[in-house]
PDB file of all heavy atoms in Angstrom:
ATOM      1  N   GLU I   1       0.826  -1.198   0.000  1.00  0.00           N
ATOM      2  CA  GLU I   1       0.000   0.000   0.000  1.00  0.00           C
ATOM      3  C   GLU I   1       0.867   1.258   0.000  1.00  0.00           C
ATOM      4  O   GLU I   1       0.551   2.235  -0.679  1.00  0.00           O
ATOM      5  CB  GLU I   1      -0.953   0.006   1.205  1.00  0.00           C
ATOM      6  CG  GLU I   1      -1.964   1.120   1.171  1.00  0.00           C
ATOM      7  CD  GLU I   1      -2.847   1.139  -0.078  1.00  0.00           C
ATOM      8  OE1 GLU I   1      -3.140   0.081  -0.650  1.00  0.00           O
ATOM      9  OE2 GLU I   1      -3.239   2.256  -0.483  1.00  0.00           O
ATOM     10  N   LEU I   2       1.979   1.243   0.725  1.00  0.00           N
ATOM     11  CA  LEU I   2       2.884   2.389   0.752  1.00  0.00           C
ATOM     12  C   LEU I   2       3.460   2.658  -0.641  1.00  0.00           C
ATOM     13  O   LEU I   2       3.492   3.804  -1.101  1.00  0.00           O
ATOM     14  CB  LEU I   2       4.018   2.167   1.758  1.00  0.00           C
ATOM     15  CG  LEU I   2       5.057   3.272   1.845  1.00  0.00           C
ATOM     16  CD1 LEU I   2       4.426   4.595   2.263  1.00  0.00           C
ATOM     17  CD2 LEU I   2       6.169   2.876   2.801  1.00  0.00           C
ATOM     18  N   LEU I   3       3.873   1.620  -1.326  1.00  0.00           N
ATOM     19  CA  LEU I   3       4.414   1.751  -2.673  1.00  0.00           C
ATOM     20  C   LEU I   3       3.354   2.305  -3.628  1.00  0.00           C
ATOM     21  O   LEU I   3       3.612   3.231  -4.393  1.00  0.00           O
ATOM     22  CB  LEU I   3       4.917   0.395  -3.182  1.00  0.00           C
ATOM     23  CG  LEU I   3       5.426   0.357  -4.620  1.00  0.00           C
ATOM     24  CD1 LEU I   3       6.677   1.229  -4.763  1.00  0.00           C
ATOM     25  CD2 LEU I   3       5.715  -1.074  -5.029  1.00  0.00           C
ATOM     26  N   LEU I   4       2.149   1.782  -3.545  1.00  0.00           N
ATOM     27  CA  LEU I   4       1.070   2.237  -4.429  1.00  0.00           C
ATOM     28  C   LEU I   4       0.697   3.690  -4.154  1.00  0.00           C
ATOM     29  O   LEU I   4       0.455   4.462  -5.082  1.00  0.00           O
ATOM     30  CB  LEU I   4      -0.153   1.336  -4.287  1.00  0.00           C
ATOM     31  CG  LEU I   4       0.052  -0.118  -4.708  1.00  0.00           C
ATOM     32  CD1 LEU I   4      -1.201  -0.935  -4.418  1.00  0.00           C
ATOM     33  CD2 LEU I   4       0.458  -0.229  -6.159  1.00  0.00           C
ATOM     34  N   LYS I   5       0.681   4.086  -2.880  1.00  0.00           N
ATOM     35  CA  LYS I   5       0.388   5.482  -2.544  1.00  0.00           C
ATOM     36  C   LYS I   5       1.477   6.409  -3.066  1.00  0.00           C
ATOM     37  O   LYS I   5       1.191   7.507  -3.544  1.00  0.00           O
ATOM     38  CB  LYS I   5       0.235   5.643  -1.030  1.00  0.00           C
ATOM     39  CG  LYS I   5      -1.101   5.197  -0.509  1.00  0.00           C
ATOM     40  CD  LYS I   5      -1.252   5.496   0.961  1.00  0.00           C
ATOM     41  CE  LYS I   5      -2.636   5.082   1.433  1.00  0.00           C
ATOM     42  NZ  LYS I   5      -2.876   5.467   2.819  1.00  0.00           N
ATOM     43  N   THR I   6       2.722   5.974  -2.981  1.00  0.00           N
ATOM     44  CA  THR I   6       3.832   6.770  -3.492  1.00  0.00           C
ATOM     45  C   THR I   6       3.701   6.979  -4.994  1.00  0.00           C
ATOM     46  O   THR I   6       3.851   8.101  -5.499  1.00  0.00           O
ATOM     47  CB  THR I   6       5.179   6.092  -3.160  1.00  0.00           C
ATOM     48  OG1 THR I   6       5.290   5.962  -1.739  1.00  0.00           O
ATOM     49  CG2 THR I   6       6.351   6.884  -3.696  1.00  0.00           C
ATOM     50  N   ILE I   7       3.405   5.905  -5.705  1.00  0.00           N
ATOM     51  CA  ILE I   7       3.220   5.987  -7.157  1.00  0.00           C
ATOM     52  C   ILE I   7       2.055   6.919  -7.478  1.00  0.00           C
ATOM     53  O   ILE I   7       2.155   7.793  -8.345  1.00  0.00           O
ATOM     54  CB  ILE I   7       3.006   4.590  -7.763  1.00  0.00           C
ATOM     55  CG1 ILE I   7       4.292   3.768  -7.644  1.00  0.00           C
ATOM     56  CG2 ILE I   7       2.534   4.681  -9.215  1.00  0.00           C
ATOM     57  CD1 ILE I   7       4.122   2.292  -7.941  1.00  0.00           C
ATOM     58  N   GLN I   8       0.959   6.759  -6.766  1.00  0.00           N
ATOM     59  CA  GLN I   8      -0.232   7.575  -6.988  1.00  0.00           C
ATOM     60  C   GLN I   8       0.081   9.064  -6.761  1.00  0.00           C
ATOM     61  O   GLN I   8      -0.299   9.914  -7.566  1.00  0.00           O
ATOM     62  CB  GLN I   8      -1.333   7.115  -6.038  1.00  0.00           C
ATOM     63  CG  GLN I   8      -2.672   7.746  -6.265  1.00  0.00           C
ATOM     64  CD  GLN I   8      -3.737   7.147  -5.355  1.00  0.00           C
ATOM     65  OE1 GLN I   8      -3.494   6.200  -4.607  1.00  0.00           O
ATOM     66  NE2 GLN I   8      -4.917   7.703  -5.412  1.00  0.00           N
ATOM     67  N   GLU I   9       0.784   9.379  -5.690  1.00  0.00           N
ATOM     68  CA  GLU I   9       1.127  10.771  -5.393  1.00  0.00           C
ATOM     69  C   GLU I   9       2.030  11.363  -6.472  1.00  0.00           C
ATOM     70  O   GLU I   9       1.845  12.510  -6.878  1.00  0.00           O
ATOM     71  CB  GLU I   9       1.808  10.862  -4.030  1.00  0.00           C
ATOM     72  CG  GLU I   9       0.857  10.638  -2.873  1.00  0.00           C
ATOM     73  CD  GLU I   9       1.559  10.525  -1.535  1.00  0.00           C
ATOM     74  OE1 GLU I   9       2.801  10.671  -1.468  1.00  0.00           O
ATOM     75  OE2 GLU I   9       0.856  10.283  -0.536  1.00  0.00           O
ATOM     76  N   LYS I  10       3.004  10.590  -6.935  1.00  0.00           N
ATOM     77  CA  LYS I  10       3.904  11.080  -7.976  1.00  0.00           C
ATOM     78  C   LYS I  10       3.152  11.364  -9.272  1.00  0.00           C
ATOM     79  O   LYS I  10       3.414  12.355  -9.943  1.00  0.00           O
ATOM     80  CB  LYS I  10       5.036  10.078  -8.214  1.00  0.00           C
ATOM     81  CG  LYS I  10       6.062  10.019  -7.099  1.00  0.00           C
ATOM     82  CD  LYS I  10       7.110   8.950  -7.367  1.00  0.00           C
ATOM     83  CE  LYS I  10       8.120   8.864  -6.266  1.00  0.00           C
ATOM     84  NZ  LYS I  10       9.125   9.917  -6.307  1.00  0.00           N
ATOM     85  N   ILE I  11       2.202  10.503  -9.607  1.00  0.00           N
ATOM     86  CA  ILE I  11       1.398  10.722 -10.808  1.00  0.00           C
ATOM     87  C   ILE I  11       0.559  11.989 -10.642  1.00  0.00           C
ATOM     88  O   ILE I  11       0.457  12.798 -11.559  1.00  0.00           O
ATOM     89  CB  ILE I  11       0.510   9.500 -11.109  1.00  0.00           C
ATOM     90  CG1 ILE I  11       1.360   8.294 -11.497  1.00  0.00           C
ATOM     91  CG2 ILE I  11      -0.495   9.823 -12.221  1.00  0.00           C
ATOM     92  CD1 ILE I  11       0.578   6.993 -11.584  1.00  0.00           C
ATOM     93  N   GLN I  12      -0.033  12.176  -9.466  1.00  0.00           N
ATOM     94  CA  GLN I  12      -0.849  13.358  -9.226  1.00  0.00           C
ATOM     95  C   GLN I  12      -0.035  14.640  -9.330  1.00  0.00           C
ATOM     96  O   GLN I  12      -0.566  15.692  -9.692  1.00  0.00           O
ATOM     97  CB  GLN I  12      -1.510  13.285  -7.846  1.00  0.00           C
ATOM     98  CG  GLN I  12      -2.589  12.233  -7.770  1.00  0.00           C
ATOM     99  CD  GLN I  12      -3.133  12.054  -6.368  1.00  0.00           C
ATOM    100  OE1 GLN I  12      -2.520  12.451  -5.380  1.00  0.00           O
ATOM    101  NE2 GLN I  12      -4.300  11.436  -6.269  1.00  0.00           N
ATOM    102  N   LEU I  13       1.243  14.566  -9.030  1.00  0.00           N
ATOM    103  CA  LEU I  13       2.116  15.736  -9.132  1.00  0.00           C
ATOM    104  C   LEU I  13       2.567  15.999 -10.565  1.00  0.00           C
ATOM    105  O   LEU I  13       3.315  16.940 -10.818  1.00  0.00           O
ATOM    106  CB  LEU I  13       3.332  15.566  -8.213  1.00  0.00           C
ATOM    107  CG  LEU I  13       3.008  15.629  -6.720  1.00  0.00           C
ATOM    108  CD1 LEU I  13       4.242  15.251  -5.893  1.00  0.00           C
ATOM    109  CD2 LEU I  13       2.484  16.998  -6.334  1.00  0.00           C
ATOM    110  N   GLY I  14       2.129  15.154 -11.488  1.00  0.00           N
ATOM    111  CA  GLY I  14       2.415  15.386 -12.896  1.00  0.00           C
ATOM    112  C   GLY I  14       3.514  14.523 -13.477  1.00  0.00           C
ATOM    113  O   GLY I  14       3.853  14.662 -14.645  1.00  0.00           O
ATOM    114  N   ASN I  15       4.069  13.618 -12.688  1.00  0.00           N
ATOM    115  CA  ASN I  15       5.077  12.695 -13.216  1.00  0.00           C
ATOM    116  C   ASN I  15       4.390  11.600 -14.023  1.00  0.00           C
ATOM    117  O   ASN I  15       3.285  11.170 -13.689  1.00  0.00           O
ATOM    118  CB  ASN I  15       5.867  12.044 -12.073  1.00  0.00           C
ATOM    119  CG  ASN I  15       6.665  13.039 -11.290  1.00  0.00           C
ATOM    120  OD1 ASN I  15       7.605  13.630 -11.798  1.00  0.00           O
ATOM    121  ND2 ASN I  15       6.272  13.266 -10.050  1.00  0.00           N
ATOM    122  N   THR I  16       5.036  11.151 -15.065  1.00  0.00           N
ATOM    123  CA  THR I  16       4.465  10.067 -15.857  1.00  0.00           C
ATOM    124  C   THR I  16       4.761   8.726 -15.191  1.00  0.00           C
ATOM    125  O   THR I  16       5.763   8.582 -14.472  1.00  0.00           O
ATOM    126  CB  THR I  16       5.037  10.050 -17.282  1.00  0.00           C
ATOM    127  OG1 THR I  16       6.435   9.757 -17.217  1.00  0.00           O
ATOM    128  CG2 THR I  16       4.808  11.369 -17.994  1.00  0.00           C
ATOM    129  N   LEU I  17       3.913   7.775 -15.434  1.00  0.00           N
ATOM    130  CA  LEU I  17       4.126   6.432 -14.892  1.00  0.00           C
ATOM    131  C   LEU I  17       5.419   5.846 -15.447  1.00  0.00           C
ATOM    132  O   LEU I  17       6.170   5.178 -14.736  1.00  0.00           O
ATOM    133  CB  LEU I  17       2.924   5.537 -15.217  1.00  0.00           C
ATOM    134  CG  LEU I  17       2.891   4.164 -14.574  1.00  0.00           C
ATOM    135  CD1 LEU I  17       3.028   4.248 -13.057  1.00  0.00           C
ATOM    136  CD2 LEU I  17       1.601   3.448 -14.939  1.00  0.00           C
ATOM    137  N   THR I  18       5.708   6.148 -16.698  1.00  0.00           N
ATOM    138  CA  THR I  18       6.943   5.669 -17.322  1.00  0.00           C
ATOM    139  C   THR I  18       8.165   6.204 -16.590  1.00  0.00           C
ATOM    140  O   THR I  18       9.098   5.458 -16.278  1.00  0.00           O
ATOM    141  CB  THR I  18       6.993   6.095 -18.803  1.00  0.00           C
ATOM    142  OG1 THR I  18       5.832   5.605 -19.455  1.00  0.00           O
ATOM    143  CG2 THR I  18       8.219   5.546 -19.487  1.00  0.00           C
ATOM    144  N   SER I  19       8.165   7.503 -16.277  1.00  0.00           N
ATOM    145  CA  SER I  19       9.321   8.085 -15.586  1.00  0.00           C
ATOM    146  C   SER I  19       9.420   7.573 -14.155  1.00  0.00           C
ATOM    147  O   SER I  19      10.528   7.354 -13.649  1.00  0.00           O
ATOM    148  CB  SER I  19       9.261   9.616 -15.607  1.00  0.00           C
ATOM    149  OG  SER I  19       8.196  10.094 -14.820  1.00  0.00           O
ATOM    150  N   ILE I  20       8.306   7.361 -13.505  1.00  0.00           N
ATOM    151  CA  ILE I  20       8.315   6.824 -12.133  1.00  0.00           C
ATOM    152  C   ILE I  20       8.938   5.437 -12.125  1.00  0.00           C
ATOM    153  O   ILE I  20       9.753   5.106 -11.264  1.00  0.00           O
ATOM    154  CB  ILE I  20       6.882   6.780 -11.567  1.00  0.00           C
ATOM    155  CG1 ILE I  20       6.341   8.198 -11.389  1.00  0.00           C
ATOM    156  CG2 ILE I  20       6.833   6.008 -10.255  1.00  0.00           C
ATOM    157  CD1 ILE I  20       4.845   8.269 -11.156  1.00  0.00           C
ATOM    158  N   CYS I  21       8.576   4.621 -13.106  1.00  0.00           N
ATOM    159  CA  CYS I  21       9.053   3.235 -13.150  1.00  0.00           C
ATOM    160  C   CYS I  21      10.527   3.125 -13.545  1.00  0.00           C
ATOM    161  O   CYS I  21      11.110   2.054 -13.391  1.00  0.00           O
ATOM    162  CB  CYS I  21       8.176   2.425 -14.100  1.00  0.00           C
ATOM    163  SG  CYS I  21       6.508   2.175 -13.451  1.00  0.00           S
ATOM    164  N   ARG I  22      11.132   4.186 -14.032  1.00  0.00           N
ATOM    165  CA  ARG I  22      12.566   4.160 -14.343  1.00  0.00           C
ATOM    166  C   ARG I  22      13.423   4.166 -13.078  1.00  0.00           C
ATOM    167  O   ARG I  22      14.582   3.774 -13.114  1.00  0.00           O
ATOM    168  CB  ARG I  22      12.934   5.366 -15.196  1.00  0.00           C
ATOM    169  CG  ARG I  22      12.540   5.230 -16.624  1.00  0.00           C
ATOM    170  CD  ARG I  22      13.153   6.338 -17.468  1.00  0.00           C
ATOM    171  NE  ARG I  22      12.447   6.426 -18.738  1.00  0.00           N
ATOM    172  CZ  ARG I  22      11.773   7.480 -19.148  1.00  0.00           C
ATOM    173  NH1 ARG I  22      11.749   8.587 -18.437  1.00  0.00           N
ATOM    174  NH2 ARG I  22      11.150   7.461 -20.308  1.00  0.00           N
ATOM    175  N   SER I  23      12.846   4.619 -11.985  1.00  0.00           N
ATOM    176  CA  SER I  23      13.580   4.689 -10.725  1.00  0.00           C
ATOM    177  C   SER I  23      13.861   3.280 -10.198  1.00  0.00           C
ATOM    178  O   SER I  23      13.010   2.388 -10.289  1.00  0.00           O
ATOM    179  CB  SER I  23      12.746   5.474  -9.707  1.00  0.00           C
ATOM    180  OG  SER I  23      13.369   5.483  -8.464  1.00  0.00           O
ATOM    181  N   LYS I  24      15.041   3.090  -9.638  1.00  0.00           N
ATOM    182  CA  LYS I  24      15.447   1.761  -9.164  1.00  0.00           C
ATOM    183  C   LYS I  24      14.582   1.248  -8.022  1.00  0.00           C
ATOM    184  O   LYS I  24      14.429   0.036  -7.854  1.00  0.00           O
ATOM    185  CB  LYS I  24      16.911   1.790  -8.726  1.00  0.00           C
ATOM    186  CG  LYS I  24      17.862   1.926  -9.874  1.00  0.00           C
ATOM    187  CD  LYS I  24      19.286   1.900  -9.417  1.00  0.00           C
ATOM    188  CE  LYS I  24      20.189   2.076 -10.633  1.00  0.00           C
ATOM    189  NZ  LYS I  24      21.592   1.983 -10.282  1.00  0.00           N
ATOM    190  N   GLU I  25      14.008   2.157  -7.230  1.00  0.00           N
ATOM    191  CA  GLU I  25      13.205   1.710  -6.097  1.00  0.00           C
ATOM    192  C   GLU I  25      11.742   1.470  -6.456  1.00  0.00           C
ATOM    193  O   GLU I  25      10.929   1.167  -5.589  1.00  0.00           O
ATOM    194  CB  GLU I  25      13.308   2.690  -4.924  1.00  0.00           C
ATOM    195  CG  GLU I  25      12.770   4.066  -5.195  1.00  0.00           C
ATOM    196  CD  GLU I  25      13.802   5.023  -5.739  1.00  0.00           C
ATOM    197  OE1 GLU I  25      14.966   4.654  -5.956  1.00  0.00           O
ATOM    198  OE2 GLU I  25      13.414   6.170  -5.974  1.00  0.00           O
ATOM    199  N   MET I  26      11.424   1.590  -7.736  1.00  0.00           N
ATOM    200  CA  MET I  26      10.054   1.375  -8.210  1.00  0.00           C
ATOM    201  C   MET I  26       9.979   0.134  -9.093  1.00  0.00           C
ATOM    202  O   MET I  26      10.963  -0.244  -9.715  1.00  0.00           O
ATOM    203  CB  MET I  26       9.575   2.585  -9.019  1.00  0.00           C
ATOM    204  CG  MET I  26       9.385   3.836  -8.208  1.00  0.00           C
ATOM    205  SD  MET I  26       8.010   3.621  -7.070  1.00  0.00           S
ATOM    206  CE  MET I  26       8.331   4.976  -5.953  1.00  0.00           C
ATOM    207  N   PRO I  27       8.796  -0.486  -9.143  1.00  0.00           N
ATOM    208  CA  PRO I  27       8.626  -1.629 -10.054  1.00  0.00           C
ATOM    209  C   PRO I  27       8.657  -1.150 -11.504  1.00  0.00           C
ATOM    210  O   PRO I  27       8.460   0.033 -11.773  1.00  0.00           O
ATOM    211  CB  PRO I  27       7.245  -2.166  -9.686  1.00  0.00           C
ATOM    212  CG  PRO I  27       6.544  -1.039  -9.028  1.00  0.00           C
ATOM    213  CD  PRO I  27       7.586  -0.182  -8.393  1.00  0.00           C
ATOM    214  N   ASN I  28       8.904  -2.073 -12.416  1.00  0.00           N
ATOM    215  CA  ASN I  28       8.920  -1.666 -13.825  1.00  0.00           C
ATOM    216  C   ASN I  28       7.493  -1.483 -14.335  1.00  0.00           C
ATOM    217  O   ASN I  28       6.524  -1.880 -13.696  1.00  0.00           O
ATOM    218  CB  ASN I  28       9.740  -2.638 -14.688  1.00  0.00           C
ATOM    219  CG  ASN I  28       9.167  -4.022 -14.734  1.00  0.00           C
ATOM    220  OD1 ASN I  28       7.958  -4.208 -14.823  1.00  0.00           O
ATOM    221  ND2 ASN I  28      10.023  -5.012 -14.686  1.00  0.00           N
ATOM    222  N   LEU I  29       7.398  -0.869 -15.478  1.00  0.00           N
ATOM    223  CA  LEU I  29       6.101  -0.501 -16.037  1.00  0.00           C
ATOM    224  C   LEU I  29       5.212  -1.719 -16.281  1.00  0.00           C
ATOM    225  O   LEU I  29       4.012  -1.684 -15.997  1.00  0.00           O
ATOM    226  CB  LEU I  29       6.319   0.281 -17.341  1.00  0.00           C
ATOM    227  CG  LEU I  29       5.117   0.971 -17.957  1.00  0.00           C
ATOM    228  CD1 LEU I  29       4.480   1.948 -16.982  1.00  0.00           C
ATOM    229  CD2 LEU I  29       5.526   1.689 -19.231  1.00  0.00           C
ATOM    230  N   SER I  30       5.780  -2.790 -16.781  1.00  0.00           N
ATOM    231  CA  SER I  30       4.964  -3.979 -17.055  1.00  0.00           C
ATOM    232  C   SER I  30       4.391  -4.571 -15.763  1.00  0.00           C
ATOM    233  O   SER I  30       3.280  -5.102 -15.772  1.00  0.00           O
ATOM    234  CB  SER I  30       5.767  -5.021 -17.834  1.00  0.00           C
ATOM    235  OG  SER I  30       6.864  -5.480 -17.086  1.00  0.00           O
ATOM    236  N   THR I  31       5.121  -4.457 -14.671  1.00  0.00           N
ATOM    237  CA  THR I  31       4.614  -4.939 -13.387  1.00  0.00           C
ATOM    238  C   THR I  31       3.408  -4.119 -12.946  1.00  0.00           C
ATOM    239  O   THR I  31       2.397  -4.675 -12.498  1.00  0.00           O
ATOM    240  CB  THR I  31       5.719  -4.875 -12.309  1.00  0.00           C
ATOM    241  OG1 THR I  31       6.795  -5.727 -12.702  1.00  0.00           O
ATOM    242  CG2 THR I  31       5.201  -5.301 -10.947  1.00  0.00           C
ATOM    243  N   ILE I  32       3.494  -2.799 -13.091  1.00  0.00           N
ATOM    244  CA  ILE I  32       2.370  -1.937 -12.724  1.00  0.00           C
ATOM    245  C   ILE I  32       1.138  -2.286 -13.568  1.00  0.00           C
ATOM    246  O   ILE I  32       0.035  -2.424 -13.044  1.00  0.00           O
ATOM    247  CB  ILE I  32       2.730  -0.445 -12.917  1.00  0.00           C
ATOM    248  CG1 ILE I  32       3.886  -0.027 -12.020  1.00  0.00           C
ATOM    249  CG2 ILE I  32       1.497   0.449 -12.667  1.00  0.00           C
ATOM    250  CD1 ILE I  32       3.571  -0.052 -10.543  1.00  0.00           C
ATOM    251  N   TYR I  33       1.337  -2.456 -14.884  1.00  0.00           N
ATOM    252  CA  TYR I  33       0.206  -2.805 -15.743  1.00  0.00           C
ATOM    253  C   TYR I  33      -0.373  -4.173 -15.383  1.00  0.00           C
ATOM    254  O   TYR I  33      -1.588  -4.368 -15.423  1.00  0.00           O
ATOM    255  CB  TYR I  33       0.605  -2.758 -17.216  1.00  0.00           C
ATOM    256  CG  TYR I  33       0.764  -1.359 -17.743  1.00  0.00           C
ATOM    257  CD1 TYR I  33       1.770  -1.044 -18.641  1.00  0.00           C
ATOM    258  CD2 TYR I  33      -0.089  -0.333 -17.346  1.00  0.00           C
ATOM    259  CE1 TYR I  33       1.920   0.245 -19.139  1.00  0.00           C
ATOM    260  CE2 TYR I  33       0.053   0.955 -17.831  1.00  0.00           C
ATOM    261  CZ  TYR I  33       1.057   1.231 -18.720  1.00  0.00           C
ATOM    262  OH  TYR I  33       1.201   2.510 -19.209  1.00  0.00           O
ATOM    263  N   LYS I  34       0.471  -5.092 -15.013  1.00  0.00           N
ATOM    264  CA  LYS I  34       0.001  -6.418 -14.580  1.00  0.00           C
ATOM    265  C   LYS I  34      -0.851  -6.281 -13.320  1.00  0.00           C
ATOM    266  O   LYS I  34      -1.944  -6.853 -13.223  1.00  0.00           O
ATOM    267  CB  LYS I  34       1.199  -7.326 -14.328  1.00  0.00           C
ATOM    268  CG  LYS I  34       0.852  -8.721 -13.870  1.00  0.00           C
ATOM    269  CD  LYS I  34       2.119  -9.534 -13.699  1.00  0.00           C
ATOM    270  CE  LYS I  34       1.970 -10.490 -12.558  1.00  0.00           C
ATOM    271  NZ  LYS I  34       3.214 -11.179 -12.216  1.00  0.00           N
ATOM    272  N   TRP I  35      -0.357  -5.504 -12.355  1.00  0.00           N
ATOM    273  CA  TRP I  35      -1.124  -5.273 -11.132  1.00  0.00           C
ATOM    274  C   TRP I  35      -2.462  -4.617 -11.440  1.00  0.00           C
ATOM    275  O   TRP I  35      -3.485  -4.979 -10.866  1.00  0.00           O
ATOM    276  CB  TRP I  35      -0.341  -4.397 -10.160  1.00  0.00           C
ATOM    277  CG  TRP I  35       0.869  -5.033  -9.558  1.00  0.00           C
ATOM    278  CD1 TRP I  35       1.221  -6.354  -9.571  1.00  0.00           C
ATOM    279  CD2 TRP I  35       1.906  -4.363  -8.834  1.00  0.00           C
ATOM    280  NE1 TRP I  35       2.407  -6.546  -8.917  1.00  0.00           N
ATOM    281  CE2 TRP I  35       2.849  -5.343  -8.444  1.00  0.00           C
ATOM    282  CE3 TRP I  35       2.142  -3.041  -8.504  1.00  0.00           C
ATOM    283  CZ2 TRP I  35       3.995  -5.026  -7.720  1.00  0.00           C
ATOM    284  CZ3 TRP I  35       3.284  -2.730  -7.770  1.00  0.00           C
ATOM    285  CH2 TRP I  35       4.192  -3.720  -7.382  1.00  0.00           C
ATOM    286  N   MET I  36      -2.459  -3.652 -12.354  1.00  0.00           N
ATOM    287  CA  MET I  36      -3.695  -2.963 -12.718  1.00  0.00           C
ATOM    288  C   MET I  36      -4.689  -3.924 -13.373  1.00  0.00           C
ATOM    289  O   MET I  36      -5.900  -3.832 -13.123  1.00  0.00           O
ATOM    290  CB  MET I  36      -3.394  -1.793 -13.652  1.00  0.00           C
ATOM    291  CG  MET I  36      -2.700  -0.624 -12.975  1.00  0.00           C
ATOM    292  SD  MET I  36      -2.117   0.639 -14.131  1.00  0.00           S
ATOM    293  CE  MET I  36      -3.664   1.237 -14.807  1.00  0.00           C
ATOM    294  N   ASN I  37      -4.203  -4.830 -14.206  1.00  0.00           N
ATOM    295  CA  ASN I  37      -5.080  -5.804 -14.863  1.00  0.00           C
ATOM    296  C   ASN I  37      -5.676  -6.793 -13.872  1.00  0.00           C
ATOM    297  O   ASN I  37      -6.753  -7.332 -14.111  1.00  0.00           O
ATOM    298  CB  ASN I  37      -4.333  -6.544 -15.967  1.00  0.00           C
ATOM    299  CG  ASN I  37      -4.109  -5.679 -17.179  1.00  0.00           C
ATOM    300  OD1 ASN I  37      -4.896  -4.795 -17.474  1.00  0.00           O
ATOM    301  ND2 ASN I  37      -3.005  -5.920 -17.885  1.00  0.00           N
ATOM    302  N   GLN I  38      -4.985  -7.021 -12.772  1.00  0.00           N
ATOM    303  CA  GLN I  38      -5.454  -7.963 -11.763  1.00  0.00           C
ATOM    304  C   GLN I  38      -6.309  -7.305 -10.680  1.00  0.00           C
ATOM    305  O   GLN I  38      -6.967  -7.995  -9.912  1.00  0.00           O
ATOM    306  CB  GLN I  38      -4.261  -8.654 -11.090  1.00  0.00           C
ATOM    307  CG  GLN I  38      -3.465  -9.522 -12.016  1.00  0.00           C
ATOM    308  CD  GLN I  38      -2.180 -10.023 -11.394  1.00  0.00           C
ATOM    309  OE1 GLN I  38      -1.733  -9.562 -10.356  1.00  0.00           O
ATOM    310  NE2 GLN I  38      -1.549 -10.987 -12.050  1.00  0.00           N
ATOM    311  N   ASP I  39      -6.285  -5.971 -10.613  1.00  0.00           N
ATOM    312  CA  ASP I  39      -6.932  -5.254  -9.513  1.00  0.00           C
ATOM    313  C   ASP I  39      -7.665  -4.024 -10.059  1.00  0.00           C
ATOM    314  O   ASP I  39      -7.046  -2.996 -10.326  1.00  0.00           O
ATOM    315  CB  ASP I  39      -5.863  -4.844  -8.494  1.00  0.00           C
ATOM    316  CG  ASP I  39      -6.407  -4.186  -7.250  1.00  0.00           C
ATOM    317  OD1 ASP I  39      -7.565  -3.728  -7.246  1.00  0.00           O
ATOM    318  OD2 ASP I  39      -5.648  -4.100  -6.262  1.00  0.00           O
ATOM    319  N   GLN I  40      -8.968  -4.148 -10.225  1.00  0.00           N
ATOM    320  CA  GLN I  40      -9.776  -3.061 -10.793  1.00  0.00           C
ATOM    321  C   GLN I  40      -9.697  -1.801  -9.932  1.00  0.00           C
ATOM    322  O   GLN I  40      -9.654  -0.687 -10.465  1.00  0.00           O
ATOM    323  CB  GLN I  40     -11.229  -3.512 -10.948  1.00  0.00           C
ATOM    324  CG  GLN I  40     -12.125  -2.484 -11.611  1.00  0.00           C
ATOM    325  CD  GLN I  40     -11.719  -2.166 -13.041  1.00  0.00           C
ATOM    326  OE1 GLN I  40     -11.210  -3.019 -13.758  1.00  0.00           O
ATOM    327  NE2 GLN I  40     -11.942  -0.933 -13.450  1.00  0.00           N
TER     328      GLN I  40
END
């Protein structure tokens, strides 16, 4: 939940999901899309 809130906050501040996922402490983009497909 902490990771998801961090991602959500960064997106709200105008960062792209692609740029967020480039960070070493974040999951890669395909992982986020997989999670999204599994969790409405």
Side-chain angles (χ1 to χ4, degrees):
E1 188 57 31
L2 178 61
L3 176 65
L4 297 176
K5 281 185 178 185
T6 300
I7 292 168
Q8 187 175 356
E9 288 172 3
K10 288 177 181 282
I11 293 170
Q12 290 174 342
L13 291 172
N15 296 293
T16 65
L17 188 54
T18 304
S19 68
I20 294 166
C21 291
R22 283 190 197 118
S23 176
K24 289 182 181 183
E25 64 270 2
M26 292 293 164
N28 64 41
L29 191 57
S30 63
T31 298
I32 298 294
Y33 286 142
K34 180 178 146 188
W35 291 347
M36 289 171 65
N37 286 330
Q38 295 171 347
D39 184 343
Q40 184 63 32

